Amino acid sequence: MNYWRQLIVPSAILIGASSTFGAPGPANCSQLAELKLPHATITHAQIVHPGEFKLPSESTPPSSDFFTGFDKMQAFCRVEGGSQPTSDSHIEFEVWLPETGWNGKYEGAGNGGFGGSMNYYRLAEAINAGYVGSSTDTGHKGTSGEINWATGHPEKIVDFDYRAIHETAEITKAIISAFYRKPVTRSYFSSCSNGGRQGLMEAQRYPQDYDGILAGAPWNPGTISSSSSNVSAENNKNAVNLNATNPNLKPFEQRGGKLIIYHGENDGPAQTINYYESVVRTFGAEHTNTFVQLYVVPGMGHCGGGSLPAYFGQRLNPQDDPQHSIIIALEQWVEQGIVPRAIIATEYKVDGVRESGIVQTRPLCAFPKVATYSGSGSRNEAANYSCVLPRKR
């Protein structure tokens, strides 16, 4: 009997499943369609060869700093499917797995606004850097600004709030174990705006899903429930609890999880600062610094842009290093225990295009420290700044 048909994947993740696969190397991609998952089905699984993937026409046009090299990606196994944890749920997901050269890691992608589609840019970034990538539509279809899907569908609201990201993480790990015949070594989540909120929700509700989380400009979705006229009273009562504001990160911390939050100074970071300070009140400053950091990015708007250097490795790039990439610094913190001290932010002549040349650099300092000019040398060079506590007025 075909072992794929015998394989039933537990909801607790396929950690030990690799022991049932004797042959080395990746399994056949198309056979992943036969993989059995709890309340989930894989609808398509096929190898995408270099140059074959075409960005769907309805995808949001990318900004200049989004990944655009879809025609240059290596071959990967593209897995599409859906999960139905409740009768009113239909969570679609995609998992992209490098056919060769996998680095053993997994990078989960978040969504902007109210979700409703796959984040193909982040999936491609993962493949380009040798990671497995996953994305979900968060349980409904539509543009990131639509909210009609929530009316009369309390379970879809829960899917959007936190369940879809969690389901996708579990499913992805099962697919990884089946395809590569071994489990993932490290799992990371990185996103901004609503995606930042999704990251915080993962740390708070499902601390086992990710080893490291990068949460940018966390966004509060509480108005979804109150604006949906047919939401049950019980669900509406619990709406506040669905917001990513719980400072009790002890389970995440105890399993060795690391969390980095960032927020643009020109994007109203007060609530994010308040959340970080609530974590400090819960754990104490010294303990908090062992697993949580906050960066308030000077001059930056919502998830990017602004008058000062605003690229600091928020997106996976194989050319980056821990000194210039907040994602790589997070990985180094998780894997080697090296605490990030300052990340160098860069402004390029052409936004997001490093080949265009550097205009200026500036260190990003972990809150509450700020970058302060030393008094000598160019103000456009990070080396002439240091991270210090601001003077009290």
Side-chain angles (χ1 to χ4, degrees):
M1 182 180 292
N2 189 321
Y3 74 82
W4 291 91
R5 295 191 181 278
Q6 300 179 57
L7 181 58
I8 306 296
V9 184
S11 60
I13 303 299
L14 258 178
I15 296 299
S18 59
S19 63
T20 65
F21 305 142
N28 186 303
C29 176
S30 62
Q31 285 186 303
L32 287 174
E34 302 177 37
L35 187 63
K36 296 188 182 302
L37 301 159
H39 55 252
T41 302
I42 294 175
T43 55
H44 297 95
Q46 60 184 5
I47 291 292
V48 177
H49 297 286
E52 288 185 349
F53 178 79
K54 304 299 181 185
L55 194 66
S57 59
E58 67 273 14
S59 297
T60 303
S63 66
S64 61
D65 59 346
F66 274 31
F67 183 89
T68 57
F70 292 98
D71 59 335
K72 299 178 176 64
M73 291 188 297
Q74 63 164 305
F76 64 95
C77 175
R78 182 184 184 184
V79 179
E80 302 170 76
S83 175
Q84 193 172 16
T86 76
S87 60
D88 192 35
S89 297
H90 184 73
I91 300 166
E92 294 191 10
F93 60 84
E94 288 203 26
V95 180
W96 292 11
L97 307 99
E99 186 179 31
T100 60
W102 178 47
N103 63 10
K105 302 175 186 180
Y106 156 46
E107 180 92 1
N111 308 78
F114 293 111
S117 62
M118 302 294 168
N119 192 336
Y120 290 108
Y121 305 104
R122 285 297 175 87
L123 284 167
E125 285 172 4
I127 289 295
N128 187 54
Y131 298 66
V132 168
S134 76
S135 181
T136 173
D137 64 0
T138 68
H140 64 275
K141 292 294 184 185
T143 66
S144 61
E146 292 179 12
I147 197 172
N148 292 337
W149 55 267
T151 302
H153 296 284
E155 294 296 346
K156 289 187 181 299
I157 294 172
V158 175
D159 290 336
F160 167 80
D161 275 323
Y162 58 85
R163 189 160 52 204
I165 293 293
H166 169 61
E167 286 279 317
T168 300
E170 288 208 320
I171 290 167
T172 299
K173 290 181 181 180
I175 291 171
I176 287 172
S177 289
F179 185 61
Y180 295 113
R181 309 174 197 270
K182 59 184 178 182
V184 64
T185 58
R186 295 291 185 182
S187 299
Y188 297 96
F189 183 88
S190 173
S191 199
C192 192
S193 192
N194 175 54
R197 179 200 63 83
Q198 290 170 331
L200 290 188
M201 196 67 84
E202 278 290 296
Q204 295 164 16
R205 285 181 172 267
Y206 302 105
Q208 74 281 6
D209 283 355
Y210 292 101
D211 302 298
I213 294 173
L214 179 63
W219 175 78
N220 186 325
T223 55
I224 292 177
S225 294
S226 61
S227 65
S228 303
S229 58
N230 295 323
V231 174
S232 68
E234 180 65 21
N235 193 69
N236 197 49
K237 181 184 73 174
N238 291 332
V240 174
N241 294 329
L242 299 178
N243 295 330
T245 56
N246 183 358
N248 183 12
L249 298 173
K250 193 168 186 60
F252 182 71
E253 179 266 341
Q254 287 182 327
R255 69 173 297 273
K258 309 298 182 187
L259 169 65
I260 295 180
I261 309 169
Y262 67 90
H263 205 129
E265 181 183 55
N266 294 347
D267 186 37
Q271 286 188 333
T272 298
I273 293 172
N274 289 342
Y275 175 72
Y276 173 79
E277 290 179 337
S278 73
V279 176
V280 170
R281 288 192 296 271
T282 301
F283 291 91
E286 185 175 352
H287 194 173
T288 297
N289 291 338
T290 65
F291 74 104
V292 180
Q293 284 190 337
L294 167 64
Y295 291 82
V296 178
V297 186
M300 191 174 84
H302 188 62
C303 297
S307 57
L308 294 173
Y311 177 77
F312 43 96
Q314 306 97 306
R315 298 177 176 86
L316 273 177
N317 189 317
Q319 297 177 330
D320 281 340
D321 58 62
Q323 190 178 14
H324 296 82
S325 168
I326 198 166
I327 292 180
I328 305 303
L330 173 63
E331 292 191 7
Q332 187 174 252
W333 195 9
V334 169
E335 298 168 18
Q336 302 177 38
I338 300 174
V339 181
R341 297 300 179 190
I343 309 296
I344 296 177
T346 305
E347 178 188 354
Y348 295 101
K349 291 180 181 178
V350 178
D351 190 23
V353 181
R354 66 182 62 218
E355 293 78 12
S356 65
I358 295 174
V359 176
Q360 59 177 325
T361 58
R362 189 72 55 83
L364 294 183
C365 307
F367 184 86
K369 292 183 178 180
V370 295
T372 303
Y373 178 56
S374 64
S376 62
S378 172
R379 288 182 177 271
N380 293 331
E381 295 181 10
N384 299 322
Y385 292 80
S386 58
C387 293
V388 299
L389 290 171
R391 294 179 180 178
K392 294 183 178 180
R393 295 182 179 179

